[in-house]
Amino acid sequence: MSAATLHLCATSRLAKTLRGALPASGQVWRSAHALTVAQWLAQLADAALVEGERLPQVLDSDAERLLWEQVIADSLASGAGDLAPLFDPRGLAASAMEAHALCRVWGLAAGGQAEENRWFIQWQQAFLQRCRKADWIDVGGLQAQLVDAIAAGRFALPAEVHFIGFDRLTPFERRLGEVLAARGCQVELPAPATVDARECAIFRCADSAAECHAVVDWVARTLAENPAARLGIVAPDLAAVRDRLAALLDDALHPEALRPDASELPRRFNFSLGQPLADQPLVEVALALLAVGNGRHPVAQQALSALLLAGGWQGAVSEADARARLDAEQRRTLPYFTRASALLGLGQRLGEQGRIACPATLAALDAGIAVLAAAPRSQRPGAWGATFKQALSAFGWPGERSLSSTEFQARRAFIEVLAGFGRLDGLLGSLGLGAALARVRDLCRQRLFQPETRGQPQVQVLGVLESAGLAFDALWVMGMNDDRWPAAPRPNPLLSVESQRAAGSAHASAEVELDFARRVHARLLGSAPTVHFSYAQADGNRVLRPSPLLADLPPAVDRPVQLKTLADALAAAGGLVAVDDAQAPPLAEGERVAGGSWLLRAQALCPAWAFYQFRLGAQAMESPVEGLDPAARGTLVHGALEIFWRAVGDSRRLQALGDAGRAAQIAQAVDAAVAGFEAETRSPLPPRFRILESERLCRLLSRWLALEASRELPFAVIACEQGAEVDIEGIRVRMVVDRIDRLDDGRELIIDYKTGARIDTRNWASARITEPQLPIYAALVNEAVAAVVFAKVLPDAPVFSGIAAEGGMLPGVSGLGDARQKIFDPAQFPDWPAVIAHWQARLHAIAREVRDGVAGVSFADEADLKYCDVLPLLRLPERRRLWAARQEGRP
């Protein structure tokens, strides 16, 4: 290739590939002069500036988007009136920016009869006017000026210019070619692709996951046969399958990458699709530190939790354990919305008490907050960029350990964002800390980050456009479904649809998309000697169809996918020992097991649950919620009803109160319960929220106590929150009964309040009693019990649910002899003593399981494990895999 030859490439990836291409022979060569059109024109602009020519300041994509946003916001503020808040200036700015680029590249003019077309005419005029006033210009405008300058005889040009990798040229690119030819350059335009694939076939896959497995299986097979092969994978919707493909390719080609010390090993594959810079862990931590350090606004507790558990700042390595304990403590102690200063205070108190010590973390957090607090309340973006860098340094970002290559590049990219923030000074002016941080976060979302690749990976995973001009030894094109290929038309809503169709601009119509897809399809068929296409047959319950462009291609011979994940490989390897983990050590002499009735409940639902949580002491981390979680709301209901009944005492007094008296007594009980809750949790409710919650409780209790007042048999509440303790098979079980009522004849009713809708009483007649608290009290503590019921204190349908020795004791509660009672079979349970005997036998049996160490993962319904605190320890996915293997006869 001659240095006098310029290769104008469709993509930067193709240009980089050409520059890195090795010659067929020779030890010294000159790299190809390969650039995209935008890169080459930018070089010409730099050359003009060096020669002293004055050019307008070029707006990069971020600055241009911001200017469009300001133009549109000002227009809506003056023209939309009260409807202005309903519009999305950022979304409209993105559409306007695209429309303006279409005008530049495709020679379109703003116009049309629709209201949005008229809006864009005004916005474009205002945009260009502001650019002229400030001596700014968008990239497309500068490129047009440079082409005009070339036509006028400016700049030294290469002898030959080759356009490479273009599926079709835009009017702007065609004009550039014509201008270069008029200046005497020998211009070579891209020739239409010719089909020359010697082997081509279509693979049908069950779904997208199966398609990804088939692709990676093909990669593994091909590289096993030819380790030097250059392979390509092309997907129209690469973002949808990127993560799954990356995981499978790692499993197949780099299983050693699972080790933390091997995560940065060079890969044999590379993705063309970058990810937002804001999604890089090190950048996420930086943005989170700046957000938490803004002490002027509270933050959600999860933000503090994520920071304490994250790396990338001071103390992340040396104080990792202490920070994890501090996180657990702040989950229990701090409110949902809090401030970093509250975390500092908590950490300092715990340190003084000798419970948790993480001085480096607290010092760094305090120092970073101090830097942000000392900054002016309002300053320009450039000054905020410097402040943010200083604060991050005080926080100890990017951490104590050495950075990996990817982390180093992410840090460098983020520092570039902060350093370049000042270029928006003229557009944004002075702004506050929160607004400045929001802009930085938006810039990081807009900037795509792609770590630099070492060498030329053998497997390239590409989008349709990124594959332009590249050649492979074999190629697999996936995702060839008719809903993706050809793509659906997507004309710009701010430009006339008719003008876009007439110009044939990108995404203008179904005809344009079909023509483009045909061109790309032909080009892909010529990209490798072997080309495979695949499509998914279903997406969940939705049936999918192949692209019509595959109609003339032959189907592939079905072959089983032999790809093994790392888990499959380890499971199939020799040396694995099967361990029966269903048996734990029996209880030792004197061993105490906490949990009370919850221990027996967990044992009945799933023995492993009881073992892990109550014998080993495993606990789930508390998850903060905004306001009150269901458990806290239930506590308030319990507290208010306890206070009410301690004051009222019995049904006769309840009925004597009347509606007004009952409402007043309820209000007093609710106020006392809320005050007690606030004192116990040391967390006052916000005033408005307190009022709303009190009103909700009053309504709820009013409906419930109206049901209580309708009970036919007089009763007295003889106990509230009654504690009890019983020995079952050597296990001391402590419990608290919400309420005990005594009838006039001396019989007692056990009542347990429930504020959730799902309550199961059918298990009381089964071999495994999964709601054991009331049966324990009735069968093993109190012989006078004649009914056990749940009181479902619900706003829409308050009701008693349970079983009684005879009917009529409580509204809606059946007696054993009632015909509508379906839970207890009369043949097995002829009378109340039979029920008590059943409960005694089954509760002792479950307790014996605990005593004997029965700890298998067995359950009747996986839905029963929804609220299991130790669910990850049950390893259900692994057990499903082993079960499926046994069903298929595999080891």
Side-chain angles (χ1 to χ4, degrees):
M1 296 180 181
S2 168
T5 300
L6 170 65
H7 302 273
L8 292 180
C9 302
T11 67
S12 57
R13 176 175 288 266
L14 175 58
K16 181 179 179 181
T17 300
L18 292 180
R19 290 195 299 270
L22 300 177
S25 60
Q27 296 182 347
V28 179
W29 67 92
R30 179 174 294 177
S31 298
H33 189 201
L35 301 166
T36 64
V37 172
Q39 289 169 343
W40 182 60
L41 292 176
Q43 285 188 356
L44 295 184
D46 291 341
L49 290 173
V50 170
E51 294 173 2
E53 185 172 341
R54 184 179 173 279
L55 294 175
Q57 180 182 346
V58 182
L59 296 173
D60 62 18
S61 60
D62 296 321
E64 183 182 353
R65 186 181 302 105
L66 177 58
L67 181 56
W68 278 110
E69 185 180 329
Q70 292 178 344
V71 165
I72 292 170
D74 291 346
S75 174
L76 293 175
S78 61
D82 295 338
L83 298 178
L86 301 178
F87 291 88
D88 174 20
R90 290 196 176 190
L92 288 172
S95 295
M97 188 173 170
E98 179 191 63
H100 186 61
L102 287 172
C103 292
R104 295 286 197 193
V105 172
W106 289 90
L108 302 177
Q113 300 303 315
E115 186 175 9
E116 55 267 27
N117 301 149
R118 295 194 293 273
W119 285 349
F120 179 64
I121 293 173
Q122 298 174 7
W123 298 342
Q124 189 179 48
Q125 291 173 349
F127 174 85
L128 294 174
Q129 183 178 0
R130 293 195 188 190
C131 285
R132 287 192 294 270
K133 184 177 179 180
D135 197 26
W136 295 332
I137 193 169
D138 59 279
V139 173
L142 178 65
Q143 291 178 348
Q145 286 189 11
L146 291 170
V147 173
D148 290 340
I150 294 172
R154 294 290 313 281
F155 306 117
L157 301 177
E160 297 182 16
V161 179
H162 298 172
F163 286 78
I164 301 176
F166 293 86
D167 293 308
R168 61 173 179 169
L169 294 173
T170 65
F172 173 77
E173 290 158 348
R174 284 198 297 270
R175 179 170 183 264
L176 174 60
E178 293 166 358
V179 167
L180 291 173
R183 284 284 308 274
C185 298
Q186 183 178 340
V187 177
E188 182 179 306
L189 299 178
T194 57
V195 178
D196 59 0
R198 294 189 295 271
E199 180 183 339
C200 184
I202 304 172
F203 288 84
R204 298 177 304 173
C205 302
D207 54 25
S208 177
E211 190 176 14
C212 290
H213 276 77
V215 171
V216 177
D217 179 60
W218 167 77
V219 168
R221 290 173 186 254
T222 305
L223 292 180
E225 297 170 359
N226 180 8
R230 294 174 298 111
L231 306 180
I233 301 171
V234 172
D237 190 6
L238 181 55
V241 296
R242 186 191 194 282
D243 291 344
R244 179 177 282 130
L245 281 176
L248 290 173
L249 286 168
D250 258 347
D251 262 357
L253 305 181
H254 303 282
E256 69 279 4
L258 183 67
R259 302 196 316 268
D261 62 339
S263 61
E264 291 289 327
L265 288 177
R267 301 297 202 267
R268 298 174 72 182
F269 60 89
N270 172 256
F271 284 84
S272 67
L273 180 66
Q275 295 176 308
L277 178 61
D279 291 346
Q280 295 303 306
L282 201 63
V283 178
E284 281 186 320
V285 169
L287 294 172
L289 284 167
L290 295 173
V292 166
N294 179 9
R296 297 161 188 166
H297 301 285
V299 296
Q301 192 194 106
Q302 295 100 312
L304 295 177
S305 180
L307 268 182
L308 287 173
L309 301 179
W313 64 292
Q314 189 66 39
V317 177
S318 59
E319 297 176 349
D321 291 344
R323 277 164 58 154
R325 293 197 299 273
L326 178 59
D327 173 51
E329 189 65 30
Q330 66 106 12
R331 286 169 179 254
R332 289 189 291 267
T333 306
L334 299 183
Y336 181 84
F337 282 110
T338 187
R339 299 177 188 271
S341 57
L343 178 64
L344 279 172
L346 175 64
Q348 289 164 358
R349 288 195 302 274
L350 295 173
E352 292 168 358
Q353 297 167 7
R355 295 170 55 191
I356 299 174
C358 44
T361 295
L362 298 179
L365 188 59
D366 190 35
I369 293 173
V371 170
L372 294 175
R377 296 186 67 87
S378 180
Q379 53 184 344
R380 288 178 173 270
W384 276 122
T387 298
F388 290 158
K389 289 172 64 176
Q390 183 183 356
L392 289 173
S393 177
F395 283 125
W397 184 83
E400 300 167 325
R401 64 172 176 80
S402 300
L403 299 181
S404 68
S405 173
T406 299
E407 289 172 332
F408 179 82
Q409 294 177 58
R411 176 186 177 277
R412 181 177 60 192
F414 183 65
I415 293 299
E416 289 173 358
V417 169
L418 294 182
F421 197 26
R423 72 184 188 279
L424 302 181
D425 283 357
L427 284 167
L428 290 175
S430 293
L431 66 168
L433 191 159
L437 181 57
R439 286 293 178 186
V440 169
R441 184 179 289 108
D442 186 57
L443 292 175
C444 292
R445 289 196 193 104
Q446 297 292 336
R447 177 166 178 166
L448 290 181
F449 174 74
Q450 178 78 308
E452 296 177 5
T453 304
R454 302 175 186 174
Q456 291 290 335
Q458 289 179 267
V459 183
Q460 304 238 20
V461 189
L462 312 159
V464 168
L465 297 179
E466 290 81 6
S467 64
L470 300 177
F472 309 95
D473 295 323
L475 175 69
W476 188 302
V477 186
M478 61 184 300
M480 291 284 102
N481 289 96
D482 66 347
D483 61 338
R484 294 181 181 175
W485 195 247
R490 186 176 50 82
N492 188 282
L494 300 180
L495 295 173
S496 164
V497 174
E498 292 76 13
S499 64
Q500 293 180 73
R501 288 175 178 169
S505 60
H507 313 299
S509 65
E511 292 77 13
V512 168
E513 294 291 0
L514 177 59
D515 175 70
F516 178 73
R518 284 173 172 162
R519 292 170 182 264
V520 172
H521 191 76
R523 185 246 298 162
L524 292 173
L525 284 170
S527 297
T530 300
V531 181
H532 296 323
F533 293 87
S534 64
Y535 65 93
Q537 295 177 292
D539 178 13
N541 294 327
R542 185 165 65 99
V543 176
L544 302 180
R545 297 173 298 186
S547 167
L549 297 181
L550 303 182
D552 297 331
L553 300 178
V557 177
D558 288 337
R559 64 181 183 187
V561 174
Q562 298 178 352
L563 177 68
K564 289 187 179 295
T565 65
L566 179 59
D568 293 330
L570 292 174
L576 292 181
V577 178
V579 177
D580 183 6
D581 59 357
Q583 183 62 47
L587 288 181
E589 186 70 27
E591 180 179 352
R592 301 176 64 87
V593 184
S597 62
W598 286 96
L599 166 65
L600 300 185
R601 179 180 185 271
Q603 184 72 26
L605 287 170
C606 176
W609 178 354
F611 174 70
Y612 288 128
Q613 182 166 349
F614 297 107
R615 289 193 62 187
L616 298 187
Q619 292 181 336
M621 297 286 286
E622 294 187 29
S623 298
V625 297
E626 185 176 4
L628 299 173
D629 61 16
R633 292 182 187 274
T635 299
L636 284 171
V637 170
H638 281 65
L641 285 171
E642 178 187 0
I643 294 169
F644 179 89
W645 282 115
R646 288 191 186 280
V648 174
D650 57 41
S651 59
R652 293 179 178 87
R653 175 82 185 280
L654 173 65
Q655 292 167 349
L657 285 174
D659 292 342
R662 188 166 67 224
Q665 194 68 49
I666 289 172
Q668 292 179 18
V670 167
D671 285 344
V674 172
F677 176 83
E678 291 176 321
E680 183 179 351
T681 60
R682 293 182 296 176
S683 177
L685 299 176
R688 180 59 181 161
F689 183 82
R690 193 184 198 278
I691 293 172
L692 293 174
E693 183 62 22
S694 296
E695 291 174 350
R696 184 192 73 85
L697 286 169
C698 287
R699 290 193 300 269
L700 184 64
L701 266 60
S702 179
R703 289 209 63 181
W704 173 253
L705 291 170
L707 175 65
E708 295 263 29
S710 71
R711 290 169 59 175
E712 296 180 0
L713 299 180
F715 65 91
V717 177
I718 63 172
C720 291
E721 304 298 320
Q722 177 69 44
E725 183 174 317
V726 63
D727 185 286
I728 311 177
E729 299 292 334
I731 300 172
R732 302 299 295 174
V733 176
R734 294 184 178 89
M735 72 187 83
V736 176
V737 176
D738 292 341
R739 184 171 129 203
I740 304 175
D741 288 3
R742 179 175 292 157
L743 304 181
D744 285 350
D745 61 7
R747 291 181 296 176
E748 296 181 2
L749 317 178
I750 308 303
I751 298 174
D752 188 47
Y753 296 124
K754 293 293 184 183
T755 54
R758 187 176 181 271
I759 298 173
D760 175 29
T761 57
R762 296 181 177 275
N763 68 90
W764 287 348
S766 69
R768 304 192 73 80
I769 300 175
T770 57
E771 292 288 351
Q773 178 161 323
L774 298 184
I776 290 172
Y777 196 89
L780 303 174
V781 177
N782 190 339
E783 296 180 355
V785 173
V788 292
V789 296
F790 290 117
K792 299 174 68 172
V793 187
L794 302 174
D796 51 351
V799 68
F800 288 104
S801 175
I803 189 67
E806 61 183 53
M809 288 181 143
L810 287 163
V813 177
S814 301
L816 280 179
D818 293 350
R820 62 180 180 175
Q821 191 277 122
K822 304 296 184 184
I823 296 177
F824 292 89
D825 183 0
Q828 185 180 356
F829 304 99
D831 51 26
W832 189 249
V835 173
I836 297 298
H838 166 74
W839 286 346
Q840 290 173 340
R842 298 321 307 162
L843 291 169
H844 275 276
I846 293 172
R848 279 195 296 273
E849 289 185 4
V850 177
R851 184 195 66 191
D852 296 341
V854 176
V857 180
S858 60
F859 47 86
D861 186 351
E862 191 169 331
D864 294 334
L865 305 179
K866 181 178 181 181
Y867 298 106
C868 176
D869 279 355
V870 295
L871 190 61
L873 299 178
L874 304 184
R875 299 182 299 171
L876 297 184
E878 181 179 347
R879 293 176 186 278
R880 292 191 200 101
R881 182 183 63 80
L882 293 174
W883 176 254
R886 291 193 186 102
Q887 293 294 98
E888 297 172 6
R890 294 185 284 115

